[in-house]
Amino acid sequence: PLARLAFPEVDNNVLKFLYDDNQRVEPDWYIPIIPMVLINGAEGIGTGWSCKVPNYDIREVVNNIRRMLDGDEPLRMIPSYKNFKGTIDELGQNHFLINGEISVLNSTTIEISELPVRTWTQTYKEQVLEPMLTGTEKTPSLITDYKEYHTDTTVKFIITMSEQKLVEAEAIGLHKVFKLQSPLSCSNMVLFDHAGCLKKYETAEDILDEFYQVRLRYYGLRKEWLTGMLGAESAKLNNQARFILEKIEGKIVIENKPKKELIQVLIERGYDSDPVKAWKESQQKDIDENAEEDTDKENESTAASGPDFNYLLNMPLWYLTKEKKDEMCKQRDNKETELENLKQRNPTDLWREDMAAFIQELDVLEAKEKQDEMLGIPGKPSKGKGGKAKAKTLQLQEILPSPQGRRVIPRITKEMKLEAEKKLKRKIKTEKIELDENQDLPGTTKEPTNLKQRLMKRLKMESGVKTQSNKPIKKAMTVNPWSDSENGNGSNDSELDSYAQHHQVT
């Protein structure tokens, strides 16, 4: 149910559809009411480009869109994962730290109730807990035993260790000792934009802003389409109701008359040719840009066949009854009211209504998922007092975090923040070097293409760093080396020739 609310069917009428063997297939791209790439995340690698976009909270995204509709700036968003019970802390720009959950039950027992995102219980047990239990030649064992109480949606490790080692681990940091922290970088968000071009986005707010501009424009297109469609349907119902009333009153006589004469009577009395059919044909003409000749032929054949009044003449006789006449008049009035209400609404109102319906259904779905999760927990029935309810309570106590545990707050040290800052500086420096290497030459708008230009650029880059002899480097001439004048060609050409011979350029 959420998929259809996120991708309203009415939007299919304003999308650009692709054609395969002259048959319409899927559209070029779908446009949801919220940016799904921020909700589901994205990660992959292609030729020359890689992408990693974390997940964000649906309600934060929706609230930011509502702020933008009100004219306010969106709030900064931090990555969030559904049903993740740990914390995500910001270390620096586009750098975060994902923390699991660990608590101390007593002087010798600790409990792990959440692992970092994308860390599986089996992998964690094999790579972290087992080496701690058995130890190695260089590292003695740290824990004495551990037990598991997992479900498909929850995590719970009960770990026992000596009192002294627990004190030492707390001094270092339990999250660090038990590897319950993992870094998350958001500095590589490369996506296709609405035009099909690759683009790198610095923040999630940049993605949201670009999506907002495109989506708002398509809500305007949706309103235009709905206005035209409701106008055509209203005109059709109005013509049908008027035709029934005039037939009952005897103003129109259709019995025993030729078809041409009957059509002429309808035209003279101001009836429109099928409004819905005419409007759809006009829309199809605008969409089918690749088949203009075929469309022109269809329009010529339609014009030659004359107006279409089948929507009036094909109505059954029982439409002339009082009940059907009243029903038709009521449908006409309702359609006119719906059209007037649509004209008074803005595209932003349509967007708000879609998001409200989406969030309402999301709340219902999440409540049902939580209820099913609680009911689906396996438990053995007990014959004692309380029956199944007692067994359920015992089972919940086993898999849920212990209420008497002392939660350990994750440590965010200065070293972590400095390391994130260093990574950011290295990335900025690398991007700057790549930009300088690809930067255009002075006075030109293109990359150096011929050998002379490439050698001149390389000579300028290496000047001052490495010399061929002990002689000082001559000051570069101010004359443009690409000038046609005789004064500017000689020295530069000879310098390039010697440079090419030195590097054995062929």
Side-chain angles (χ1 to χ4, degrees):
L2 286 178
R4 183 44 71 189
L5 292 176
F7 296 86
E9 189 174 1
V10 67
D11 283 334
N12 294 344
N13 302 289
V14 297
L15 297 179
K16 180 182 177 182
F17 279 79
L18 302 177
Y19 285 83
D20 186 11
D21 293 336
N22 294 328
Q23 291 185 350
R24 196 177 81 160
V25 289
E26 72 276 358
D28 193 8
W29 38 259
Y30 291 95
I31 183 163
I33 63 173
I34 54 177
M36 299 304 298
V37 69
L38 295 180
I39 308 302
N40 298 326
E43 184 173 358
I45 187 170
T47 305
W49 294 97
S50 62
C51 168
K52 185 174 183 179
V53 180
N55 300 29
Y56 292 85
D57 185 72
I58 297 180
R59 290 173 177 82
E60 285 189 11
V61 175
V62 171
N63 291 335
N64 270 338
I65 293 177
R66 288 171 175 166
R67 288 179 57 87
M68 298 171 74
L69 291 174
D70 294 334
D72 300 328
E73 291 294 325
L75 300 178
R76 179 168 175 77
M77 296 185 295
I78 293 180
S80 175
Y81 294 84
K82 182 179 179 181
N83 297 331
F84 177 63
K85 301 178 181 62
T87 59
I88 300 179
D89 298 316
E90 186 174 6
L91 297 179
Q93 183 179 356
N94 289 335
H95 284 83
F96 301 90
L97 187 67
I98 303 177
N99 307 293
E101 284 294 319
I102 186 171
S103 59
V104 179
L105 301 183
N106 51 51
S107 60
T108 58
T109 310
I110 61 175
E111 177 187 79
I112 297 177
S113 57
E114 185 61 281
L115 299 175
V117 175
R118 298 186 179 182
T119 301
W120 297 94
T121 54
Q122 184 67 21
T123 304
Y124 182 78
K125 182 178 69 173
E126 294 175 354
Q127 297 182 359
V128 178
L129 295 183
E130 284 295 335
M132 288 183 175
L133 179 64
T134 58
T136 60
E137 296 180 357
K138 298 181 180 180
T139 305
S141 61
L142 179 64
I143 63 177
T144 57
D145 191 18
Y146 69 89
K147 295 181 180 180
E148 303 175 70
Y149 302 93
H150 315 304
T151 66
D152 56 344
T153 57
T154 61
V155 177
K156 187 173 181 180
F157 286 102
I158 300 296
I159 301 172
T160 56
M161 54 196 305
S162 65
E163 184 175 353
Q164 180 182 358
K165 290 184 178 180
L166 178 56
V167 173
E168 295 175 355
E170 281 196 86
I172 300 174
L174 290 178
H175 285 83
K176 182 178 180 180
V177 171
F178 286 91
K179 299 180 181 180
L180 293 176
Q181 292 178 322
S182 62
L184 175 63
S185 176
C186 302
S187 59
N188 196 33
M189 297 189 290
V190 181
L191 302 169
F192 285 101
D193 60 8
H194 66 283
C197 301
L198 279 173
K199 183 177 179 180
K200 183 177 181 181
Y201 299 89
E202 296 298 330
T203 62
E205 291 75 25
D206 294 341
I207 299 176
L208 183 62
D209 182 68
E210 183 164 324
F211 171 84
Y212 173 83
Q213 304 298 333
V214 178
R215 178 70 257 202
L216 186 60
R217 179 165 59 89
Y218 270 82
Y219 267 105
L221 295 176
R222 184 208 283 189
K223 181 185 176 183
E224 293 178 4
W225 187 91
L226 286 175
T227 303
M229 187 64 185
L230 288 177
E233 292 177 351
S234 177
K236 180 178 179 179
L237 289 173
N238 185 41
N239 286 335
Q240 287 179 329
R242 184 162 68 94
F243 179 80
I244 292 174
L245 292 175
E246 291 185 351
K247 181 66 181 72
I248 293 175
E249 295 172 0
K251 296 180 180 180
I252 294 181
V253 180
I254 62 175
E255 293 84 356
N256 198 24
K257 280 190 176 183
K259 182 178 179 180
K260 290 184 179 180
E261 182 179 347
L262 187 57
I263 291 176
Q264 187 63 30
V265 171
L266 294 176
I267 294 175
E268 291 176 356
R269 296 197 63 86
Y271 287 94
D272 301 322
S273 179
D274 193 341
V276 175
K277 181 179 179 181
W279 185 81
K280 288 183 177 180
E281 287 179 353
S282 65
Q283 294 296 309
Q284 191 67 24
K285 180 180 178 181
D286 296 337
I287 295 175
D288 294 341
E289 297 177 355
N290 298 329
E292 294 181 357
E293 297 180 358
D294 297 338
T295 307
D296 293 338
K297 292 179 181 179
E298 292 177 3
N299 292 338
E300 290 175 2
S301 62
T302 303
S305 61
D308 185 4
F309 292 106
N310 291 333
Y311 75 103
L312 296 176
L313 301 177
N314 287 345
M315 288 192 296
L317 285 176
W318 64 278
Y319 271 55
L320 300 176
T321 60
K322 184 179 184 303
E323 293 82 5
K324 199 62 182 178
K325 178 202 69 173
D326 295 340
E327 181 182 350
M328 184 65 66
C329 293
K330 184 177 180 180
Q331 291 179 2
R332 175 198 62 188
D333 298 338
N334 292 339
K335 189 65 67 174
E336 291 177 355
T337 303
E338 184 180 358
L339 178 60
E340 290 301 323
N341 291 337
L342 177 64
K343 290 181 179 179
Q344 295 176 2
R345 289 151 64 193
N346 296 324
T348 56
D349 298 330
L350 301 178
W351 200 349
R352 286 190 177 95
E353 291 174 2
D354 286 348
M355 290 190 296
F358 178 82
I359 293 298
Q360 182 179 0
E361 185 65 26
L362 178 64
D363 293 338
V364 174
L365 184 62
E366 288 182 347
K368 186 176 182 301
E369 287 179 354
K370 187 175 181 180
Q371 183 180 6
D372 293 343
E373 180 181 347
M374 300 298 291
L375 295 176
I377 296 175
K380 296 181 179 180
S382 174
K383 296 182 180 179
K385 186 177 180 181
K388 294 183 179 179
K390 182 178 179 181
K392 181 67 66 176
T393 303
L394 292 175
Q395 189 68 13
L396 288 175
Q397 291 177 354
E398 290 181 357
I399 65 172
L400 294 180
S402 302
Q404 71 275 13
R406 174 173 58 85
R407 179 177 180 269
V408 179
I409 300 176
R411 295 183 184 179
I412 309 299
T413 61
K414 293 182 178 180
E415 290 76 9
M416 294 179 180
K417 294 183 177 181
L418 290 175
E419 183 65 25
E421 187 177 352
K422 288 180 181 179
K423 290 182 180 179
L424 179 61
K425 289 182 178 180
R426 285 198 298 267
K427 186 172 183 62
I428 294 176
K429 184 177 180 180
T430 303
E431 292 178 351
K432 185 177 181 181
I433 293 175
E434 293 177 355
L435 182 63
D436 293 339
E437 290 179 353
N438 298 328
Q439 192 175 10
D440 297 340
L441 292 177
T444 62
T445 58
K446 298 180 179 179
E447 287 291 322
T449 55
N450 55 45
L451 177 62
K452 182 177 179 180
Q453 291 177 348
R454 293 199 301 270
L455 292 177
M456 175 58 71
K457 180 178 179 180
R458 186 171 180 181
L459 180 63
K460 288 183 178 181
M461 291 175 61
E462 295 185 359
S463 62
V465 179
K466 181 178 180 181
T467 57
Q468 299 179 14
S469 62
N470 295 327
K471 296 180 180 181
I473 300 175
K474 295 181 179 181
K475 185 177 180 180
M477 297 185 65
T478 59
V479 181
N480 189 347
W482 290 275
S483 175
D484 294 336
S485 61
E486 296 179 0
N487 297 332
N489 286 335
S491 60
N492 283 284
D493 289 342
S494 60
E495 192 175 10
L496 288 173
D497 294 338
S498 62
Y499 183 82
Q501 292 176 3
H502 176 73
H503 288 274
Q504 296 182 357
V505 178
T506 58

